[in-house]
Amino acid sequence: MDSHELQRILYVEDEPDIRAVAQIALEVVGGFILNVTASGEEALTTAEAFAPDLILLDVMMPGMDGPSTLLALREIPGLANTAAMFMTAKAQPQEIEHFKSLGAIDVIAKPFDPMTLSDQVRAIWQQHRG
Amino acid sequence: MTQPSKSQHNTTPQRPPDKAGPSTPESAKKEQVLEQALEQALEQALEISEARHSAVVNSMVDAVVTIDERGVIESFNPAAERTFGYLSPEMVGQNVSLLMSDTHRVQHDSYLKNHYRSGEKRVLGQIRELDAQRKDGSIFPIELAVTDLCIPGKRRFSAIIRDISGRREIERMKEEFVSTVSHELRTPLTAIRGSLGLVTGGVFGELPEKISALLQIANNNIERLLFLINDLLDMEKIESGIMDFVFQPQAVMPIVEKSVITYSGYAEQHNVRFEITGRLDAACINADAERLMQVMSNLLSNAAKFSPTNATVTISVARHEGQIRISVHDSGPGIPTDFHPKIFDKFTQANSSNTRQPGGTGLGLSIVRAIVHKHGGQISFVTGANIGTTFHVDLPEHHT
């Protein structure tokens, strides 16, 4: 889990159109391997087997929202320390601090630029690993 | 109306001594009649004054409660009956703390005691927001203004109370609206912008020129729509007081420098140059850096937009009348005179036919002004056809 590049991303987003755009941006532009799920509940069933390097979560979702999904994912032994980011329109400085206090390494602001999304995710991930 | 009769009445015992000699029974009778008439007139005047006073108090929309120095209620107007659900006869003679929520009740008792002893006037003359309690026990927010009544020999207080639960509800709805609009509008825009961005970004290969040009138009207008939504939401947040400001004492130059670097894209887009020509490296302000960046973003983009090609937009920081002045100067055509009074209004833009780059939301400068005001500062401008336009932002200096 330590010295390799960012490759595997668990992505949770309820909006199908945004999910499709982000998936192309991350897979085609960024070359990442994705596990795309439409809800927190779905993510919980596949996360352990997928063993992601990074968890990327939408915040506002029906049912389990982003923060509660992250909380539940943390209960899975292999994911207790996996890096996590939120993607949200609520990206004011205070809101970013709040999400960091929930255990995210950073926040990606929506609307995101699909051409630079992968670079952004990679940069944050590398910065986090120091 | 009460004045003439009152003064006559008062002067009666002080007649000059020459007229105060032993009086005949006839003159004594005259005097008595006169005195009775005066008393009657005074009483009548008082009655009229009282009737007028109670007509005002009784028809007031706000609750009016008067209390003595121990907090015992002396009067309770109809609006107070409606607001609190008690009838006036029930409340006169009761302690006013009955109308307060538990937390305020304890505070009030000790406060009145203190006030009586030390003359401390914490509440008087101010409008405060606190919680009150109705007869049925329900708690509701009120606005309270207390005044000291000048009745010789007595301390009396008059409280004007307004039920503000309606206003609070509207504030809450506004907040909810902003949050909903923000999410519901941005979600489809995120998807559209993302799709267009991927296609125009060439992820799936080169596009024929004509298709590419059209997609670029779509892309640019999505960007514009996003700016508009962001500006609208910012305006709404500022106006309803739900935009958070995090003020921190800090040096002013780093903010200005960062803004010039961050928004250099505006300069490139319009073929102009940004240059910092005046510095105050030691000066500090108490500011929300993110919000000031927003101010600079608006001023710099306006300056770039209205500058002639290859011109330089100058940015300077200086002291002006004891404040820190950030100035952004462009050598553009100046702002038309008839537009000056409206420049900070919402949704206003000068006739854009004389600009090279129309567009923008017409909200930028009103947001800028609102942010500057939140910092305790002022914004002004100097403009003319031959001198271009300079916007000055004056902010209080923070002395450590």
Side-chain angles (χ1 to χ4, degrees):
Chain A
M1 208 200 225
D2 278 306
S3 57
H4 68 264
E5 287 286 297
L6 171 60
Q7 287 180 322
R8 304 173 73 80
I9 301 176
L10 169 65
Y11 177 46
V12 191
E13 164 70 64
D14 66 306
E15 284 285 338
D17 292 350
I18 293 178
R19 206 163 57 226
V21 169
Q23 184 171 3
I24 295 169
L26 293 167
E27 283 180 347
V28 181
V29 182
F32 298 118
I33 300 159
L34 255 65
N35 176 19
V36 180
T37 58
S39 69
E41 290 83 350
E42 191 188 334
L44 286 175
T45 62
T46 58
E48 191 170 14
F50 181 68
D53 303 321
L54 174 74
I55 301 163
L56 190 57
L57 297 151
D58 179 29
V59 172
M60 284 172 77
M61 295 187 286
M64 287 177 84
D65 65 2
S68 55
T69 303
L70 180 58
L71 211 63
L73 287 170
R74 291 288 188 224
E75 297 293 313
I76 299 171
L79 303 178
N81 297 308
T82 307
M85 296 179 202
F86 287 111
M87 286 178 92
T88 177
K90 292 176 188 291
Q92 291 195 16
Q94 299 90 313
E95 292 165 333
I96 293 175
E97 281 316 306
H98 170 68
F99 290 125
K100 283 184 177 174
S101 76
L102 298 177
I105 57 172
D106 213 335
V107 171
I108 307 267
K110 275 184 182 176
F112 55 86
D113 179 343
M115 295 307 290
T116 59
L117 177 66
S118 293
D119 289 344
Q120 204 184 344
V121 168
R122 198 176 273 122
I124 295 170
W125 197 74
Q126 270 162 4
Q127 201 183 359
H128 167 66
R129 296 169 69 85
Chain B
M1 200 184 230
T2 60
Q3 281 313 101
S5 55
K6 212 180 195 172
S7 61
Q8 273 173 43
H9 188 75
N10 283 345
T11 53
T12 26
Q14 293 159 353
R15 277 169 305 181
D18 57 332
K19 283 189 184 176
S23 47
T24 59
E26 206 169 302
S27 71
K29 201 177 173 191
K30 251 187 200 167
E31 211 167 277
Q32 214 180 347
V33 170
L34 188 66
E35 228 159 75
Q36 270 176 357
L38 279 173
E39 237 163 66
Q40 243 173 8
L42 182 66
E43 250 166 51
Q44 216 172 6
L46 259 176
E47 257 170 45
I48 291 169
S49 161
E50 226 159 72
R52 187 184 293 154
H53 174 240
S54 56
V56 171
V57 171
N58 288 342
S59 61
M60 267 178 80
V61 180
D62 292 332
V64 180
V65 178
T66 55
I67 61 170
D68 68 10
E69 76 260 345
R70 288 166 303 143
V72 174
I73 294 174
E74 294 193 329
S75 75
F76 202 73
N77 79 339
E81 294 183 327
R82 285 194 299 276
T83 306
F84 289 96
Y86 290 104
L87 292 174
S88 170
E90 286 179 89
M91 286 313 286
V92 172
Q94 296 283 344
N95 196 284
V96 70
S97 62
L98 208 60
L99 304 176
M100 299 172 183
S101 68
D102 292 344
T103 39
H104 291 301
R105 188 173 302 150
V106 180
Q107 287 168 7
H108 188 259
D109 285 345
S110 72
Y111 172 69
L112 263 187
K113 277 185 199 123
N114 261 332
H115 178 91
Y116 195 47
R117 269 205 308 268
S118 67
E120 183 200 3
K121 295 187 177 184
R122 206 170 48 200
V123 187
L124 296 183
Q126 287 174 21
I127 295 177
R128 298 200 308 154
E129 286 186 10
L130 39 90
D131 289 332
Q133 189 164 14
R134 294 193 191 88
K135 188 180 183 181
D136 63 12
S138 54
I139 305 289
F140 65 106
I142 60 162
E143 205 171 65
L144 171 71
V146 182
T147 36
D148 216 340
L149 295 184
C150 301
I151 302 172
K154 292 176 176 178
R155 297 293 316 259
R156 292 288 181 277
F157 302 99
S158 150
I160 299 177
I161 300 154
R162 179 173 294 178
D163 182 346
I164 56 168
S165 26
R167 193 205 296 166
R168 286 277 171 84
E169 176 64 8
I170 289 169
E171 281 165 11
R172 195 193 56 75
M173 285 165 67
K174 261 191 167 181
E175 212 161 308
E176 206 177 83
F177 172 78
V178 169
S179 155
T180 307
V181 167
S182 168
H183 184 250
E184 295 306 319
L185 283 181
R186 277 189 234 218
T187 299
L189 281 173
T190 302
I192 299 171
R193 185 196 196 220
S195 308
L196 287 170
L198 288 169
V199 176
T200 55
V203 172
F204 302 106
E206 283 287 301
L207 294 169
E209 197 181 317
K210 280 181 182 159
I211 293 177
S212 175
L214 282 173
L215 287 178
Q216 198 58 52
I217 290 172
N219 208 20
N220 293 347
N221 282 278
I222 286 292
E223 295 289 329
R224 200 169 148 186
L225 206 49
L226 278 168
F227 274 124
L228 179 60
I229 291 170
N230 288 339
D231 277 2
L232 269 174
L233 291 173
D234 279 350
M235 200 66 234
E236 181 64 32
K237 279 188 206 162
I238 291 172
E239 287 190 341
S240 49
I242 55 177
M243 180 177 270
D244 295 324
F245 283 81
V246 184
F247 291 104
Q248 269 177 337
Q250 55 194 299
V252 63
M253 281 318 293
I255 300 176
V256 172
E257 280 163 349
K258 188 179 169 199
S259 70
V260 168
I261 295 166
T262 309
Y263 304 118
S264 59
Y266 297 147
E268 283 161 28
Q269 207 181 328
H270 298 283
N271 289 312
V272 299
R273 239 163 46 84
F274 289 158
E275 193 186 328
I276 297 178
T277 55
R279 312 179 53 89
L280 269 186
D281 284 300
C284 285
I285 50 175
N286 190 23
D288 181 329
E290 291 285 329
R291 299 288 170 222
L292 267 197
M293 285 289 283
Q294 211 175 338
V295 167
M296 292 306 290
S297 154
N298 273 287
L299 296 181
L300 291 174
S301 80
N302 274 346
K305 188 157 76 180
F306 292 101
S307 287
T309 307
N310 295 326
T312 300
V313 169
T314 58
I315 301 100
S316 62
V317 182
R319 281 201 179 78
H320 177 80
E321 292 178 355
Q323 296 205 300
I324 302 299
R325 166 167 279 191
I326 305 169
S327 304
V328 177
H329 169 78
D330 69 64
S331 48
I335 302 163
T337 316
D338 58 349
F339 190 63
H340 292 185
K342 292 182 289 186
I343 190 150
F344 294 112
D345 291 353
K346 277 180 266 178
F347 293 112
T348 53
Q349 291 181 79
N351 182 357
S352 55
S353 61
N354 57 354
T355 71
R356 289 178 297 112
Q357 184 78 29
T361 63
L363 280 169
L365 282 176
S366 54
I367 292 172
V368 162
R369 184 174 61 171
I371 293 174
V372 170
H373 283 177
K374 281 273 181 190
H375 281 78
Q378 291 295 328
I379 183 163
S380 56
F381 61 91
V382 178
T383 186
N386 304 317
I387 57 168
T389 302
T390 309
F391 275 91
H392 298 300
V393 173
D394 295 321
L395 300 169
E397 182 161 9
H398 179 81
H399 299 279
T400 43

